Amino acid sequence: MNVPLLDLKPQLAALRPQIIEAVTRVIDSTGYILGPEVTGLERKIAQYCGTEYGVGLSSGTDALLAALMSLEIGPGDLVLTTPYTFFATMGTILRVGAQPLFVDIEPESFNIDPERVAEALAADRKNGGKIKAIIPVHLYGQCADMRRIAALAAEYGVPVIEDAAQAIGAECPYEENGAVTWKKAGSMGLCGCFSFFPSKNLGGIGDGGMLTTSDRHFVEVVLSNRNHGAEPKYYHSRVGGNFRLDPIQAAVLTVKLDHLDNWHAARRRNADRYRQLFRDTGLVGEKVALPQAVYADLPGADSHNHHIYNQFVILVSKRDELRQYLQEHSVGCEIYYPLCLHQQECLRPDQYKRQSFPVAQQAAANSLALPIFPELVDEQLVYVVETIQKFYRTC
Ligand SMILES: *Cc1c(COP(=O)(O)O)cnc(C)c1O
């Protein structure tokens, strides 16, 4: 049996006529920059996420970059974030000339630890307040503890940029006007940054991204930065870039958005099935640790996207050997991410390399992502778990 890590073909097959129609519509319109497809998607994503505005951008990376540029973060500034995420989270901080300040993650969720965030903010205040933004990442499709992070951000007056690239539609409990409600990723910070990279839960047929916000002034700055800071055309009061979302991507994503919650639900069903299959193997707690859905047991969680499983990531012993074994037995798997950001070669000065974030480093050493895409069939899930079981029996 063959179980790829991700297969986009069944999704394409199901939506092929609508996708071809959407692409053809853009081609025939001859309007190839921004326009009604982009505006339409911006409105729909904002509505879906529960924000006032959406800004279509060229990628998730450019959404982060535009957010940092729009806050005028630059040399001398620190941005508080996690060392355990995709490179773009840190790459964009460095590209605006600022420095990342890392704190460790929680072992349960792999997300930034609010306790450590509190410590860093308190220390920074004594240091003159160099932290100009916090970027929590909703890793693998599960929100960071936004309730506590937002409270800390408000206390210290630091804006939050949610890196929601892996978490469109993911929800977590949040406190608003003294009451606790479920809120969607990208609606709790100053802004949320989304990616439509094809492997994300909502993926285009190429690169794309979106920024969500409910701040009217901020959205105007982001819109300006998306188009070289031109206001009006050919008059530049600031230096922006070309961060525009392609209307072909917007048209395709509009087709797919209607199916997103069903895909999330299918991924959650697959995750539940994995949990059941793994429990029957007796490996859990010994060789394998299953991902924790930290909001799943809260009241009402069943009717919310408490985890959208962009990735289903287990922690395992003998990770590299298991990975090779799975590949040899036609099971796709991947390591997200093998090296923490503070250990990346591109970082200067070397002081980062002397830092240590034990929880993040442990995750980098032991994590393995298994196939979780919506269209997997039960025989495939069974085969994945059986193959893992066989590996531990023979090694
Ligand atoms: C995918 C991703 C990004 C970047 O998105 P692109 O659209 O590929 O530029 C940023 N942060 C995280 C956590 C991601 O997973």
Side-chain angles (χ1 to χ4, degrees):
M1 189 170 309
N2 180 29
V3 192
L5 181 62
L6 174 64
D7 182 3
L8 293 172
K9 288 209 182 83
Q11 187 195 80
L12 174 63
L15 300 175
R16 192 181 174 84
Q18 295 100 298
I19 287 175
I20 301 284
E21 197 275 320
V23 172
T24 307
R25 192 170 65 236
V26 177
I27 293 172
D28 288 343
S29 77
T30 70
Y32 300 143
I33 300 295
L34 297 176
E37 300 288 349
V38 172
T39 322
L41 181 70
E42 288 173 341
R43 216 169 17 239
K44 284 198 159 152
I45 296 280
Q47 194 173 32
Y48 180 77
C49 293
T51 60
E52 291 290 319
Y53 311 103
V55 182
L57 296 160
S58 30
S59 67
T61 304
D62 287 344
L64 289 164
L65 188 60
L68 290 163
M69 287 169 70
S70 298
L71 284 169
E72 296 184 21
I73 288 171
D77 296 338
L78 295 175
V79 178
L80 187 56
T81 192
T82 159
Y84 191 62
T85 170
F86 179 59
F87 178 74
T89 315
M90 167 176 92
T92 50
I93 296 169
L94 294 169
R95 281 172 64 192
V96 297
Q99 291 286 310
L101 176 65
F102 299 116
V103 293
D104 211 348
I105 56 171
E106 300 176 310
E108 301 81 20
S109 67
F110 304 108
N111 283 324
I112 196 166
D113 186 337
E115 254 7 282
R116 304 280 99 82
V117 170
E119 288 166 11
L121 286 167
D124 180 65
R125 179 175 271 178
K126 291 197 196 107
N127 226 358
K130 292 198 164 63
I131 297 175
K132 293 293 153 53
I134 308 170
I135 309 186
V137 179
H138 307 317
L139 202 69
Y140 306 145
Q142 178 168 244
C143 288
D145 189 345
M146 286 305 295
R147 192 175 165 183
R148 293 177 64 203
I149 292 167
L152 288 164
E155 184 185 338
Y156 287 87
V158 177
V160 175
I161 299 168
E162 295 175 60
D163 183 340
Q166 301 182 6
I168 188 162
E171 293 169 274
C172 70
Y174 189 76
E175 204 164 317
E176 218 169 28
N177 311 320
V180 177
T181 51
W182 289 79
K183 295 263 285 182
K184 284 220 168 85
S187 72
M188 295 170 279
L190 168 66
C191 65
C193 298
F194 295 92
S195 165
F196 303 129
F197 188 83
S199 68
K200 305 290 158 90
N201 284 28
L202 179 61
I205 55 170
D207 280 308
M210 178 84 56
L211 180 145
T212 53
T213 185
S214 294
D215 186 307
R216 178 159 188 171
H217 170 71
F218 187 69
V219 79
E220 275 165 14
V221 181
V222 175
L223 284 167
S224 163
N225 272 324
R226 174 171 76 173
N227 195 23
H228 299 289
E231 272 174 286
K233 213 171 176 182
Y234 307 125
Y235 291 81
H236 302 264
S237 53
R238 60 170 66 86
V239 182
N242 172 359
F243 302 139
R244 297 182 296 257
L245 177 65
D246 188 307
I248 289 182
Q249 300 307 329
V252 171
L253 291 161
T254 302
V255 170
K256 290 191 176 190
L257 182 58
D258 287 338
H259 303 271
L260 186 59
D261 280 325
N262 285 337
W263 293 333
H264 289 338
R267 284 170 182 265
R268 263 198 306 280
R269 273 200 302 281
N270 289 343
D272 287 344
R273 181 68 174 132
Y274 268 139
R275 290 180 196 286
Q276 180 188 31
L277 290 165
F278 270 113
R279 252 180 259 121
D280 295 343
T281 65
L283 292 171
V284 179
E286 207 177 316
K287 308 280 190 202
V288 173
L290 297 174
Q292 296 190 37
V294 296
Y295 308 117
D297 296 329
L298 297 176
D302 282 350
S303 56
H304 292 278
N305 291 323
H306 58 79
H307 199 321
I308 64 157
Y309 291 103
N310 179 241
Q311 301 297 346
F312 185 88
V313 175
I314 58 176
L315 297 175
V316 294
S317 63
K318 299 201 169 88
R319 193 265 317 269
D320 294 337
E321 292 96 318
L322 173 61
R323 182 193 190 199
Q324 194 180 345
Y325 186 87
L326 288 174
Q327 281 166 348
E328 284 163 9
H329 290 77
S330 306
V331 174
C333 56
E334 188 51 274
I335 299 165
Y336 303 112
Y337 300 88
L339 195 62
C340 292
L341 293 185
H342 68 286
Q343 300 168 314
Q344 296 293 346
E345 200 51 47
C346 65
L347 263 184
R348 298 283 182 274
D350 281 350
Q351 79 206 29
Y352 281 101
K353 289 203 187 106
R354 286 194 291 273
Q355 296 182 351
S356 108
F357 303 101
V359 184
Q361 285 165 231
Q362 178 85 3
N366 297 319
S367 66
L368 192 65
L370 301 179
I372 191 72
F373 63 92
E375 296 84 0
L376 285 166
V377 296
D378 198 60
E379 292 72 40
Q380 290 178 303
L381 299 172
V382 169
Y383 178 74
V384 171
V385 177
E386 275 177 3
T387 310
I388 292 172
Q389 198 171 16
K390 226 179 273 167
F391 167 78
Y392 285 114
R393 230 184 273 133
T394 55
C395 77

